[in-house]
C-alpha cells in the first residue's frame, strides 16, 4: 500500500489536486514506479472558487480521430465534497438544440438559454459520460474520478480570453439521457470504473484481488472523512492514522483494514 501525495495545479478559477495520477501532465513518480506502467484512471480534487468553462470531452473514438493514436477519451464523475448554499453545475444541454444553434449562440455569447443548470449539495453524485456538455460552478469542492485523459474542449469561457475549441467541441457533443443527480449510491458502476461508498463504524476490511496482476488491478481508497480512524496492512498491529482527503493505492493481493469511524470511497479501475 502506498499513500499518494497530491500534485497541485493552480487555475484562474481555483485549483486542482491530482491525487492519483500516472498521466504525463502530472505523474506521481512513486505511483508509476510501483505499478511499472500507467494507471487507466486519474483522480482529482477540484476546488472551484469561480465557475469553470463550458466544456466537453471526447470519447475514445473521437480522441483518436481528433488527436491521434494513443489518446483515450474522458468519461468522468464527480462526488460533491462540499458545496456553497446555492452551488450549481451545468449538466448537459437542452433537448433538440442543434449544433448550428449552439455555434451561433457561442459566437453571440448567448449560450446560457441552451444550458441545463442544476443545484447540487454535499454528497451528490454526478456521472458525466464523454460527450456531455458540463461546467463546475463556483463554491464547489469535488472528488473527480475519470479516465486518464487531459483532453478538454472549451466551448465558452465567460470572456476570460483563454483558448476555446468550438469546432472540436461541437463535433464530440452527445445528447443522451442523463442520470439524475442525487446522493451518492453505495455503489456505482460504468464501463471504466466502479466506485463503492463505505461507511466504517468500528472496522472494515478489503482484499484487493490479484486479477492478472496488471497495473489496472491496483485499487484506490480515498478518505472522505475520518474520526480518529486508522489503516492497517498485513501484520501491522498499530496502523496509521488517516485524515480526510488522504488517498491510498492498494496493491493486487493486498488486504487492508480500517478501524474507527470513517467514510471512504473505494475506486476500482476496469
Amino acid at each position: 500500500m502506498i499513500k499518494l501525495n497530491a500534485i497541485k495545479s493552480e487555475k484562474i478559477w481555483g485549483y486542482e489536486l491530482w491525487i492519483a495520477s500516472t498521466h504525463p501532465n502530472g505523474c506521481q513518480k512513486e505511483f508509476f514506479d510501483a505499478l511499472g506502467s500507467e494507471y487507466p484512471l486519474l483522480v482529482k480534487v477540484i476546488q472551484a472558487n469561480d465557475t469553470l468553462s463550458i466544456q466537453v470531452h471526447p470519447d475514445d473514438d473521437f480522441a483518436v480521430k481528433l488527436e491521434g493514436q494513443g489518446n483515450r477519451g474522458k468519461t468522468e464523475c464527480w462526488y460533491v465534497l462540499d458545496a456553497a448554499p446555492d452551488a450549481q453545475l451545468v449538466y448537459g444541454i437542452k433537448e433538440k438544440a442543434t449544433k448550428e444553434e449552439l455555434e451561433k449562440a457561442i459566437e453571440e455569447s448567448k449560450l446560457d438559454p441552451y444550458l441545463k443548470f442544476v443545484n447540487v449539495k454535499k454528497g451528490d453524485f454526478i456521472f458525466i459520460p464523454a460527450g456531455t456538455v458540463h461546467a463546475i460552478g463556483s463554491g464547489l469542492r469535488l472528488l473527480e474520478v475519470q479516465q486518464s485523459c487531459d483532453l478538454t474542449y472549451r466551448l465558452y469561457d465567460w470572456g476570460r480570453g483563454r483558448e476555446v475549441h468550438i469546432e472540436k467541441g461541437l463535433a464530440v457533443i452527445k445528447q443522451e439521457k442523463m442520470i439524475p443527480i442525487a446522493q451518492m449510491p453505495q455503489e456505482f458502476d460504468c464501463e471504466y470504473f466502479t466506485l463503492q461508498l463505505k461507511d466504517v463504524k468500528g472496522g472494515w476490511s478489503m482484499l484487493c484481488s490479484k486479477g492478472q496482476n496488471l497495473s489496472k488491478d491496483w485499487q484506490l481508497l480515498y478518505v472522505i472523512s475520518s474520526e480518529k480512524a486508522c489503516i492497517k496492512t498485513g501484520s501491522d498491529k498499530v496502523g496509521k492514522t488517516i485524515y480526510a482527503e488522504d488517498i491510498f493505492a492498494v496493491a493486487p493481493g493486498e488486504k487492508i483494514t480500517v478501524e474507527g469511524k470513517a467514510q471512504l470511497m473505494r475506486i476500482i479501475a476496469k
Side-chain angles (χ1 to χ4, degrees):
M1 181 184 72
I2 306 169
K3 182 180 177 183
L4 300 177
N5 297 309
I7 299 171
K8 189 174 185 179
S9 176
E10 299 284 354
K11 305 289 184 180
I12 63 172
W13 41 260
Y15 63 85
E16 291 181 346
L17 299 174
W18 289 31
I19 60 174
S21 171
T22 61
H23 193 281
N25 292 351
C27 181
Q28 295 161 308
K29 186 177 184 301
E30 72 278 18
F31 190 28
F32 184 88
D33 288 348
L35 273 62
S37 61
E38 69 169 354
Y39 193 63
L41 301 180
L42 170 56
V43 183
K44 305 175 185 175
V45 169
I46 296 176
Q47 176 62 45
N49 301 323
D50 197 358
T51 302
L52 277 68
S53 61
I54 305 297
Q55 56 189 242
V56 64
H57 308 297
D59 62 16
D60 292 334
D61 291 337
F62 266 116
V64 172
K65 181 179 179 180
L66 297 177
E67 307 297 339
Q69 290 293 329
N71 284 284
R72 58 162 62 97
K74 184 176 174 182
T75 284
E76 61 186 342
C77 67
W78 298 326
Y79 175 79
V80 181
L81 297 169
D82 200 9
D86 299 318
Q88 286 189 321
L89 299 170
V90 172
Y91 188 49
I93 54 178
K94 293 182 178 176
E95 291 81 1
K96 299 182 180 179
T98 68
K99 293 186 179 181
E100 290 75 21
E101 289 173 331
L102 293 174
E103 184 174 17
K104 186 172 185 286
I106 291 168
E107 291 172 353
E108 297 176 353
S109 298
K110 296 178 180 178
L111 189 59
D112 284 30
Y114 294 92
L115 303 173
K116 292 182 179 179
F117 291 87
V118 183
N119 287 85
V120 292
K121 59 187 179 299
K122 184 177 180 179
D124 278 349
F125 177 77
I126 305 98
F127 179 56
I128 305 167
T132 303
V133 174
H134 61 278
I136 301 171
S138 62
L140 283 168
R141 189 172 183 85
L142 308 174
L143 173 68
E144 178 175 281
V145 179
Q146 58 162 92
Q147 291 177 264
S148 183
C149 166
D150 201 24
L151 293 175
T152 295
Y153 298 144
R154 294 191 196 102
L155 293 169
Y156 184 69
D157 197 34
W158 317 105
R160 289 185 286 209
R162 293 187 296 173
E163 181 183 7
V164 292
H165 317 90
I166 298 172
E167 183 177 351
K168 288 182 177 179
L170 290 173
V172 306
I173 288 175
K174 297 179 182 179
Q175 296 193 56
E176 299 178 348
K177 186 175 181 180
M178 312 289 284
I179 296 176
I181 295 174
Q183 289 283 285
M184 174 77 193
Q186 291 299 112
E187 183 166 323
F188 176 80
D189 184 69
C190 73
E191 180 181 356
Y192 301 102
F193 47 78
T194 297
L195 303 182
Q196 297 174 352
L197 187 63
K198 300 291 182 182
D199 288 303
V200 180
K201 297 176 181 178
W204 171 77
S205 295
M206 63 162 275
L207 173 65
C208 182
S209 173
K210 283 190 176 181
Q212 294 178 302
N213 225 14
L214 304 174
S215 61
K216 73 177 184 65
D217 294 325
W218 283 67
Q219 295 182 17
L220 302 172
L221 197 63
Y222 175 81
V223 182
I224 297 170
S225 64
S226 173
E227 297 182 23
K228 297 181 179 178
C230 68
I231 192 167
K232 300 178 180 181
T233 62
S235 59
D236 182 5
K237 295 182 179 180
V238 178
K240 299 176 182 177
T241 303
I242 58 174
Y243 301 93
E245 300 200 3
D246 283 349
I247 189 167
F248 299 88
V250 184
E254 189 172 29
K255 181 179 179 180
I256 65 98
T257 298
V258 175
E259 295 180 352
K261 186 175 181 181
Q263 189 174 52
L264 312 169
M265 187 74 76
R266 184 179 183 180
I267 302 167
I268 303 168
K270 291 187 174 180

